[in-house]
Amino acid sequence: MRRFSLKSLISEAFNAHQGWERQWRTPEPKAAYDAVIVGGGGHGLATAYYLAKEHGITNIAVIEKGWLGGGNTGRNTTIIRSNYLYEESEAIYEHAMKLWAGLSQELNYNVMYSQRGVLMLAHNSHDVQSFKRHVYANRLAGIDNEWLTPDEAKEFCPPLNISPDLRYPIVGAALQRRGGVARHDAVAWGFARGADAMGVDILQNCEVTGFRRDAGGAIEGVETSKGYIATRRVGVVAAGHTSVVMARAGLRMPLESFPLQALVSEPVKPVFPCVVMSNAVHAYISQSDKGELVIGAGTDQYISYSQQGGLHVPIHTLDAICELFPQFSRMRMLRSWGGIVDVTPDRSPIIGKTPIPGLYVNCGWGTGGFKATPGSGNVFAWTIAKGEPHPINAPFTLDRFRTGRLIDEAAAAAVAH
């Protein structure tokens, strides 16, 4: 694969950019692979990339029933942070944060990672206690997080309304300065390009319809809409449809799938310097490089596989945004959409082996999947390659719902659930 560089860009500028090849191939499925990844989103593509790069397994197929990055990877609000409460969560999100820092150079693809800071607003005494607990826990783990007064929060984010007359007045905020955003499509494309360059086959518009198991119960292949593919290792990374895919293997997962909505405004010049999140009013906002205000809401309250939700949810979110940032009340919303988030009982992911030999799963990220993309793919690749969990994802086993060793991050998610 031809690398991007200043020299190549200048060269192509004089060639009307006619010399660039396709970023990845469109191959036909092989009869057999060393490993198959089900799900062509950020996590699945990152898994394939790290399997090839760090473990030397290149005979891999990434199977995607739609188009690459067309699920939650292309539907999220791109927030990146690692300020979670429990040590297990801190470890995996901080692992991802460190990988984000050099990801553009690693992939030779600009993922547009911007460390502009994530500001989490406190509106009452419970919020203050909870966020200060997070600040102290993060500092003990060597993760940056700091407490700000309302005036300091206003200084960091000038559009913020800190009037005491608000329905939910701001009484403080927690700030992770290394937090920020990235371009979701570029992340998927960068991992796809990198994996393809190492020989990974990316099979789009190809749905996994079933699994074949040998006499001992182990995986021996997958049935797809393009025919049977033999393999001894399958990693399922299908986000909101994980429970559907795993049911085809005879496994019932401890997951519920909910719609999660987001919307963007008309584009304007740079007016918003950071990411702001509010748990009490279930809203978060940032500004994209195109100038749009990117606004996210909490999950809808009903279970669904629909990529759309109830109108009252974004309306409630916009009411809150307009109170926190009154100057935005005159702006027009451009479009809205929804994704399907897979939520576990303890609001923490599942990454590891299943009771079926050769079948691995990476799911349950809820609303926090995008920020973990490189870290999730890195440790899941280790797990598939070695047949045992990486120390970072060892606590996130499926078995914890039987033993009771839960990782309850509901309070740290900063959204409605």
Side-chain angles (χ1 to χ4, degrees):
M1 181 68 67
R2 186 179 180 189
R3 290 182 60 83
F4 293 118
S5 65
L6 179 61
K7 180 180 178 181
S8 64
L9 289 173
I10 293 174
S11 174
E12 284 301 321
F14 286 102
N15 189 35
H17 292 284
Q18 297 300 305
W20 299 113
E21 63 266 28
R22 287 185 177 272
Q23 297 297 283
W24 54 84
R25 298 166 294 120
T26 307
E28 289 299 316
K30 299 177 186 176
Y33 289 94
D34 294 332
V36 166
I37 307 300
V38 181
H43 289 240
L45 292 164
T47 301
Y49 173 82
Y50 288 115
L51 273 171
K53 180 178 183 291
E54 297 191 354
H55 303 283
I57 303 172
T58 58
N59 186 27
I60 303 169
V62 177
I63 301 179
E64 168 56 48
K65 75 171 185 178
W67 65 92
L68 186 152
N72 285 0
T73 294
R75 295 171 179 269
N76 67 87
T77 50
T78 75
I79 297 171
I80 297 169
R81 60 187 178 89
S82 63
N83 53 348
Y84 280 71
L85 179 60
Y86 293 106
E87 292 178 356
E88 299 89 345
S89 303
E90 288 174 329
I92 194 162
Y93 286 107
E94 182 65 14
H95 179 54
M97 182 79 87
K98 290 174 179 176
L99 291 173
W100 277 114
L103 195 60
S104 292
Q105 290 74 23
E106 163 88 13
L107 299 176
N108 185 230
Y109 205 92
N110 185 10
V111 301
M112 302 171 75
Y113 176 43
S114 170
Q115 291 180 300
R116 59 187 66 179
V118 173
L119 190 69
M120 303 178 72
L121 304 179
H123 300 277
N124 51 53
S125 58
H126 176 268
D127 285 349
V128 172
Q129 293 169 359
S130 176
F131 287 148
K132 283 188 175 181
R133 185 184 180 198
H134 281 68
V135 169
Y136 301 145
N138 292 159
R139 287 181 173 179
L140 282 173
I143 297 170
D144 66 305
N145 200 356
E146 59 190 276
W147 180 254
L148 302 183
T149 65
D151 288 333
E152 290 171 331
K154 173 76 172 178
E155 182 180 1
F156 185 77
C157 182
L160 187 63
N161 181 9
I162 59 171
S163 167
D165 299 327
L166 294 178
R167 181 182 179 188
Y168 294 97
I170 296 168
V171 295
L175 171 63
Q176 184 174 36
R177 294 183 184 273
R178 288 189 305 141
V181 296
R183 174 67 180 172
H184 44 41
D185 293 329
V187 174
W189 297 338
F191 275 122
R193 181 174 179 268
D196 178 86
M198 291 183 284
V200 174
D201 285 352
I202 299 171
L203 310 177
Q204 300 183 72
N205 299 305
C206 180
E207 183 177 3
V208 171
T209 57
F211 297 83
R212 284 192 194 178
R213 296 162 67 177
D214 63 19
I219 289 291
E220 66 176 8
V222 293
E223 300 282 358
T224 78
S225 56
K226 293 187 178 181
Y228 173 71
I229 297 174
T231 184
R232 283 293 182 175
R233 287 180 283 198
V234 176
V236 176
V237 200
H241 283 94
T242 297
S243 54
V244 175
V245 175
M246 296 300 281
R248 293 169 184 166
L251 285 181
R252 184 179 180 187
M253 300 295 294
L255 297 171
E256 291 181 318
S257 293
F258 294 90
L260 180 67
Q261 299 185 68
L263 60 157
V264 294
S265 73
E266 58 185 322
V268 293
K269 290 182 178 181
V271 294
F272 205 75
C274 61
V275 178
V276 172
M277 309 178 71
S278 171
N279 190 21
V281 298
H282 305 160
Y284 41 103
I285 180 172
S286 63
Q287 187 172 18
S288 75
D289 292 319
K290 294 190 293 183
E292 302 162 330
L293 296 179
V294 182
I295 299 169
T299 56
D300 283 56
Q301 296 304 306
Y302 57 88
I303 298 169
S304 174
Y305 291 105
S306 172
Q307 290 179 320
Q308 57 187 8
L311 183 60
H312 65 285
V313 175
I315 288 177
H316 171 76
T317 299
L318 289 174
D319 287 343
I321 291 295
C322 290
E323 187 172 65
L324 291 171
F325 308 99
Q327 62 272 47
F328 296 153
S329 62
R330 293 175 293 167
M331 294 184 64
R332 293 171 293 183
M333 292 300 104
L334 193 63
R335 64 185 184 276
S336 65
W337 65 90
I340 308 167
V341 295
D342 47 327
V343 179
T344 62
D346 64 355
R347 304 311 193 256
S348 291
I350 301 167
I351 317 168
K353 300 190 288 186
T354 71
I356 299 175
L359 182 60
Y360 304 83
V361 68
N362 183 347
C363 64
W365 289 96
T367 63
F370 179 76
K371 66 177 71 71
T373 299
S376 162
N378 184 266
V379 299
F380 194 42
W382 170 294
T383 303
I384 293 173
K386 298 183 179 295
E388 60 185 30
H390 187 286
I392 290 176
N393 68 287
F396 297 96
T397 62
L398 185 59
D399 194 54
R400 75 178 186 271
F401 298 104
R402 182 182 62 83
T403 64
R405 292 188 64 85
L406 305 182
I407 308 166
D408 189 3
E409 281 290 350
V415 290
H417 73 242

